Amino acid sequence: MRDQPDSSKRPARKRLTADDWADAALAALSEGGLGGVAVETLAARLGTTKGSFYWHFTNRDALVAAALARWEELSTERIIQAMEAAEPDPADRLRALLHGAIASATTDALEVRLLAAADHPDVTAALARVTERRVGYLAHLFELLGFPPPEARRRGLLAYTSYVGHAQLTQAVPGSVPADAGYLATVMTALLRR
């Protein structure tokens, strides 16, 4: 009779969570767009089976929705919370937000890929929510800096569209937008000018 392997000696496999799957979907989306989110490919990447996927999600659309919710949480809400907790000065908070956003735009194509997939209804809805939250937060910072609400909103929108344009150009034409501190200083000067 053949000896059976002792299962107690095998390392325990980490049980994957829905967030693990959502994070893997976001990575795939960043690399290959919405079409890159394929269950079998993600299962292989995560070292598991499709059964794990179906434990958490009913179908691919449910995974895409979870990934978009995860993106909203990580890329907007947690960043805003961290800024609120770490930086009391609204001008420094604005500068730190723009610096972080511009730095991430050069290395992460996720937001550009999401913009390219804006014809998907779930992506459209997520982009609308994130845009409103981000522009609203930026407008709030401009109000704290003394701008009246309508002007604060315009400046918040200008700051956000500057970031989106920067992200698009950085991904589409690498090297076309300066990556130095002088560029950010110029943007900040324009945004804060009365």
Side-chain angles (χ1 to χ4, degrees):
M1 183 168 156
R2 207 171 177 172
D3 288 337
Q4 295 295 317
D6 183 358
S7 62
S8 66
K9 293 182 182 177
R10 277 186 271 166
R13 217 188 230 182
K14 178 186 173 236
R15 172 166 266 144
L16 295 175
T17 66
D19 283 346
D20 293 328
W21 279 95
D23 290 342
L26 287 174
L29 206 156
S30 181
E31 294 162 6
L34 199 54
V37 180
V39 175
E40 286 186 25
T41 305
L42 293 177
R45 176 182 274 191
L46 290 168
T48 191
T49 65
K50 288 193 307 184
S52 171
F53 168 80
Y54 287 112
W55 178 260
H56 299 289
F57 303 101
T58 55
N59 55 36
R60 180 182 176 273
D61 287 341
L63 172 61
V64 169
L68 292 169
R70 182 93 168 134
W71 168 68
E72 288 181 60
E73 175 62 26
L74 296 174
S75 297
T76 301
E77 294 307 324
R78 286 196 188 172
I79 290 172
I80 289 172
Q81 290 168 1
M83 286 290 122
E84 288 289 315
E87 185 52 65
D89 180 63
D92 288 341
R93 215 177 306 160
L94 181 62
R95 190 173 290 106
L97 275 171
L98 288 176
H99 184 272
I102 286 171
S104 73
T106 61
T107 59
D108 186 3
L110 178 60
E111 299 211 9
V112 172
R113 300 280 192 189
L114 287 170
L115 289 167
D119 59 341
H120 185 284
D122 289 344
V123 175
T124 301
L127 286 169
R129 287 188 304 271
V130 165
T131 297
E132 181 53 39
R133 178 67 169 120
R134 289 175 178 180
V135 171
Y137 183 68
L138 291 166
H140 168 70
L141 293 179
F142 283 109
E143 283 186 49
L144 292 175
L145 291 168
F147 292 96
E151 181 61 23
R153 178 78 183 179
R154 278 191 290 277
R155 288 174 188 256
L157 184 58
L158 180 60
Y160 190 63
T161 57
S162 295
Y163 156 69
V164 170
H166 182 93
Q168 289 274 0
L169 276 174
T170 300
Q171 292 297 317
V173 187
S176 64
V177 182
D180 59 42
Y183 172 76
L184 181 59
T186 302
V187 171
M188 285 298 296
T189 298
L191 289 171
L192 296 173
R193 185 175 295 131
R194 301 231 175 231

